[in-house]
């Protein structure tokens, strides 16, 4: 991605002033319930002990209702008012969904809560016929989906946001920001009710009136933050946006004149996009470590499928195979609905491919085959479920092996330095440890030694051989390590089953940190030997 100077940057600001009521009406129209046509509809939100109007439709606005009006006053004005309860979480989710849909126009989409979006369209407006055509296309699509929308384009987000709160469809050429913003009321800056009221009391009703005063006067009275917003609205300086998603390293996409819905066409499209992506990365000697496929449905729903790889991928067939594995394993199958009109493939993370000289030893390629197998399994069940274990420098048994994702730590696991043991001796510790040690009931016990008989999982075991103890003290220097001293024993019962038990605490020689009383030790099963 190349940087763009502030004078050339173009930001499209979207504002959905009636998003809460539009969302509710869309939901009612999609179900058996039908909205009350011709009746005023409002959304109310609780503020203290009062219910205030949070959003309203056109019919309610024609009755003279306004945002922030108490519900009691609104009912007095309009007795047949239809009232809906506000759901800010659902509104935020709807705004996120609209932002996902806007990704088809530019990958740089930022939220402007509570009901706005900012799109960085620098360098991509020509793909849609220019800025005017892009704004019209976007607004017409949102209007067709039942949303009231206002839009403006300017050199920075604050200027565009200030304009679209009062004027719809304005495109500001570079250098003309101050002339177009100055006639607007000071409330358009969105600086808060206290500052807006203070400006009006001072006789400053428009942005131009505020701009005519010295900046030091404005800063002294209303703070430097407001002065910065004012300067950005006038086009003096940049106002960078914070995109919801990090821009991918490489991106390719395919648009369809007619929506596609068949698995064959979708798979062929993904394959062709993979070939284009591999060719683009090969020019810079890179391979993909994370791939993301976006499927844009004609009804606005966007589905994203991601796969991670342990090594940089540089072959189209590997990408095809991984996405085939991922699509086959989806618990929620890819539903094309009425079809996809855009499919996009991104390499959100890439790495330089290091060329290595390989010899004729067949075992040299074993690691590559293992990494490929891990990638295929991870594509099916998720990367976090395929783990390798790395040794930890600790004497606490449950912390001696650290599980880590195999795709990122395979090389470290292959070269890990595990404690050596004598081949002729049995292992001191079992390969299988329980996630949580299970308490056992000791029926008979050797004095200050291992159990002679015990019950575990409702089965009785008689001990015929025992070895130990191996005494392990907890890490007292850690806040979570204030545990009791453990005595571990290797146990074999009459059936030849071998267990790893420990006694939690020492008889009358240790104080329980939780109760402050002498310890009454308990016995636990921690692992099983093969």
């Amino acid at each position: 991605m190349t940087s763009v100077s502030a004078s050339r940057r173009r930001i499209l600001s979207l504002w959905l002033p009636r998003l809460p009521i539009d969302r509710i009406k869309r939901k009612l129209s999609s179900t058996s319930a039908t909205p009350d046509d011709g009746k005023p509809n409002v959304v109310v939100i609780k503020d203290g002990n009062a219910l205030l109007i949070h959003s309203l439709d056109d019919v309610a606005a024609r009755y003279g209702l306004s945002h922030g009006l108490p519900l009691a006053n609104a009912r007095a004005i309009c007795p047949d008012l239809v009232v809906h309860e506000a759901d800010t979480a659902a509104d935020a989710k709807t705004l996120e969904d609209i932002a996902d849909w806007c990704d088809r126009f530019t990958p740089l989409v930022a939220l402007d809560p509570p009901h706005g979006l900012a799109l960085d369209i620098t360098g991509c407006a020509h793909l849609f016929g220019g800025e005017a055509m892009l704004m019209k296309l976007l607004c017409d699509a949102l209007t067709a989906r039942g949303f009231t929308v206002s839009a403006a384009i300017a050199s920075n987000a604050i200027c565009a946001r200030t304009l679209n709160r009062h004027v719809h469809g304005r495109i500001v050429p570079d250098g003309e920001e101050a002339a177009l913003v100055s006639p607007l009321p000071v409330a358009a800056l969105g600086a808060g009710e206290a500052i807006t009221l203070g400006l009006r009391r001072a006789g400053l009703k428009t942005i131009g009136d505020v701009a005519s005063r010295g900046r030091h006067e404005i800063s002294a009275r209303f703070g430097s933050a407001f002065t910065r917003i004012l300067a950005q609205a006038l086009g003096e300086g940049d106002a960078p946006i914070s995109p919801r998603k990090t821009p991918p390293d490489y991106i390719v996409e395919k648009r369809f004149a007619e929506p596609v819905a068949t698995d064959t066409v979708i798979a062929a499209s993904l394959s062709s996009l993979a070939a284009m992506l591999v060719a683009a990365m090969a020019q810079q000697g890179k391979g993909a470590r994370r791939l993301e496929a976006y499927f844009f449905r004609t009804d606005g729903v966007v589905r994203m499928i991601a796969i991670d790889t342990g090594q940089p991928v540089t072959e189209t067939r590997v990408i095809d195979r991984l996405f085939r594995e991922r699509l086959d394993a989806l618990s929620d199958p890819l539903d094309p609905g009425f079809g996809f009109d855009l499919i996009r493939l991104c390499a959100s993370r890439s790495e330089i491919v290091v060329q290595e000289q390989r010899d004729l030893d067949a075992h040299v390629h074993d690691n590559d085959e293992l990494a490929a197998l891990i990638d295929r399994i991870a594509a099916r069940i998720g990367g976090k479920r395929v783990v390798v274990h790395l040794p930890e420098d600790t004497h606490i048994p449950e912390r001696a092996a650290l599980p880590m994702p195999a795709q990122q730590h395979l090389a470290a696991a292959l070269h890990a330095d595990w404690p050596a043991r004598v081949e002729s001796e049995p292992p001191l510790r079992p390969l299988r440890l329980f996630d949580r040690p299970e308490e056992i009931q000791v029926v008979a016990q050797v004095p200050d030694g291992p159990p002679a008989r015990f019950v575990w999982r409702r089965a009785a075991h008689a001990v015929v051989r025992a070895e130990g103890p191996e005494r392990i003290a907890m890490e007292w220097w850690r806040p979570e390590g204030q545990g009791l001293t453990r005595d571990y024993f290797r146990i074999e019962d009459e059936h030849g089953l071998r267990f790893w038990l420990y006694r939690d605490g020492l008889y009358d020689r240790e104080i329980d940190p939780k109760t402050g009383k002498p310890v009454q030790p308990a016995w636990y099963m921690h692992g099983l030997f093969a």
Side-chain angles (χ1 to χ4, degrees):
M1 302 294 291
T2 57
S3 61
V4 181
S5 62
S7 60
R8 296 176 53 201
R9 190 177 300 278
R10 303 297 287 170
I11 303 295
L12 190 157
S13 177
L14 289 176
W15 184 41
L16 296 94
R18 295 173 180 171
L19 176 65
I21 191 66
D22 290 342
R23 176 188 61 80
I24 291 174
K25 285 191 171 184
R26 276 170 50 88
K27 182 178 179 180
L28 293 175
S29 63
S30 64
T31 60
S32 57
T34 56
D36 295 319
D37 296 331
K39 292 186 178 181
N41 285 257
V42 298
V43 177
V44 296
I45 192 169
K46 190 171 184 179
D47 184 11
N49 294 324
L51 290 175
L52 306 180
I53 294 181
H54 180 58
S55 182
L56 67 165
D57 62 3
D58 291 333
V59 179
R62 287 196 293 268
Y63 274 90
L65 307 184
S66 60
H67 184 274
L69 185 70
L71 178 60
N73 296 3
R75 288 193 182 278
I77 298 173
C78 182
D80 58 347
L81 192 65
V82 180
V83 180
H84 308 276
E85 187 176 353
D87 188 346
T88 55
D91 295 339
K93 176 62 170 59
T94 302
L95 188 64
E96 290 275 0
D97 293 340
I98 296 175
D100 286 338
W101 176 80
C102 288
D103 282 343
R104 66 176 59 222
F105 302 102
T106 172
L108 303 177
V109 180
L111 298 177
D112 183 15
H115 304 143
L117 296 172
L119 286 66
D120 191 336
I121 59 172
T122 307
C124 65
H126 68 280
L127 300 174
F128 305 92
E131 293 180 351
M133 287 298 298
L134 171 59
M135 183 165 58
K136 183 177 184 303
L137 176 64
L138 200 152
C139 292
D140 288 349
L142 288 175
T143 301
R145 287 171 171 79
F147 293 102
T148 303
V149 60
S150 177
I153 298 177
S155 60
N156 67 65
I158 298 300
C159 180
R161 183 182 186 276
T162 302
L163 281 167
N164 76 358
R165 295 309 192 262
H166 286 269
V167 183
H168 169 60
R170 183 61 58 87
I171 300 177
V172 184
D174 288 339
E176 299 185 15
E177 292 86 357
L180 294 175
V181 169
S182 293
L184 300 179
V186 292
L189 292 172
E193 295 183 2
I195 293 179
T196 301
L197 181 61
L199 291 170
R200 288 175 177 172
R201 287 177 176 176
L204 306 176
K205 298 181 179 181
T206 66
I207 297 177
D209 295 337
V210 182
S212 64
R213 307 298 295 266
R215 297 296 167 84
H216 63 283
E217 299 178 24
I218 301 298
S219 297
R221 176 63 179 82
F222 300 103
S224 59
F226 173 74
T227 305
R228 184 170 59 254
I229 293 175
L230 175 63
Q232 292 168 343
L234 296 172
E236 302 171 4
D238 192 17
I241 65 173
S242 299
R244 302 164 56 243
K245 304 174 183 177
T246 303
D249 294 343
Y250 298 89
I251 179 173
V252 292
E253 62 184 31
K254 188 173 184 178
R255 298 177 183 270
F256 302 93
E258 294 292 335
V260 298
T262 61
D263 295 340
T264 304
V265 177
I266 293 172
S269 301
L270 266 181
S271 182
S272 63
L273 289 175
M276 296 167 56
L277 188 67
V278 167
M281 293 188 295
Q283 294 179 357
Q284 299 182 3
K286 292 187 176 182
R289 286 293 305 274
R290 179 176 175 84
L291 293 158
E292 297 175 349
Y294 292 86
F295 302 88
F296 295 82
R297 274 185 5 191
T298 55
D299 59 356
V301 177
V302 183
R303 183 74 181 273
M304 189 273 286
I305 297 175
I307 56 174
D308 293 289
T309 63
Q311 295 179 351
V313 175
T314 58
E315 297 182 18
T316 303
R317 62 179 181 84
V318 176
I319 297 178
D320 290 342
R321 183 173 60 190
L322 291 177
F323 272 110
R324 186 165 58 250
E325 296 278 0
R326 187 76 184 101
L327 290 171
D328 291 343
L330 288 176
S331 58
D332 182 13
L334 191 64
D335 180 15
F338 292 105
F340 300 116
D341 58 1
L342 170 65
I343 298 178
R344 175 181 296 164
L345 184 61
C346 306
S348 57
R349 188 171 70 250
S350 62
E351 290 182 2
I352 295 177
V353 178
V354 179
Q355 301 296 334
E356 297 180 352
Q357 182 68 35
R358 300 297 182 93
D359 57 24
L360 299 180
D361 186 1
H363 297 288
V364 173
H365 301 278
D366 289 349
N367 292 347
D368 295 340
E369 295 177 359
L370 178 59
L373 176 61
I374 291 174
D375 288 342
R376 293 183 63 183
I377 297 175
R380 278 194 167 272
I381 66 175
K384 294 183 179 180
R385 297 182 178 181
V386 185
V387 300
V388 293
H389 290 86
L390 302 178
E392 283 287 288
D393 186 15
T394 178
H395 60 278
I396 307 300
E398 56 266 33
R399 300 178 188 167
L402 181 65
M404 299 295 290
Q407 289 179 302
Q408 286 77 35
H409 299 87
L410 178 60
L414 293 174
H415 299 91
D417 185 16
W418 291 93
R421 72 178 182 89
V422 181
E423 292 294 335
S424 59
E425 294 290 332
L428 297 177
R429 295 184 179 180
L431 293 177
R432 179 188 175 189
L433 293 181
F434 297 142
D435 291 336
R436 293 184 178 180
E438 300 180 9
E439 188 171 2
I440 64 175
Q441 180 183 356
V442 176
V443 179
Q445 179 183 349
V446 178
D448 202 21
R453 293 183 61 87
F454 65 91
V455 177
W456 174 54
R457 294 182 178 178
R458 293 188 291 184
H461 300 269
V463 177
V464 297
R465 293 181 182 86
E467 185 178 1
E470 177 189 357
R471 181 159 294 178
I472 298 177
M474 295 296 100
E475 298 172 332
W476 54 266
W477 57 91
R478 295 178 182 268
E480 69 278 8
Q482 298 294 331
L484 301 174
T485 302
R486 298 178 183 176
D487 279 348
Y488 279 88
F489 294 86
R490 289 185 291 174
I491 299 295
E492 182 178 335
D493 69 359
E494 72 276 17
H495 302 294
L497 301 177
R498 304 181 71 234
F499 309 100
W500 204 42
L501 312 179
Y502 74 86
R503 181 179 58 209
D504 196 23
L506 305 178
Y507 286 105
D508 300 327
R509 286 184 287 170
E510 201 167 14
I511 300 299
D512 191 334
K514 297 180 181 179
T515 63
K517 298 180 180 180
V519 170
Q520 296 298 322
W523 286 87
Y524 293 89
M525 178 76 67
H526 202 171
L528 302 175
F529 289 94

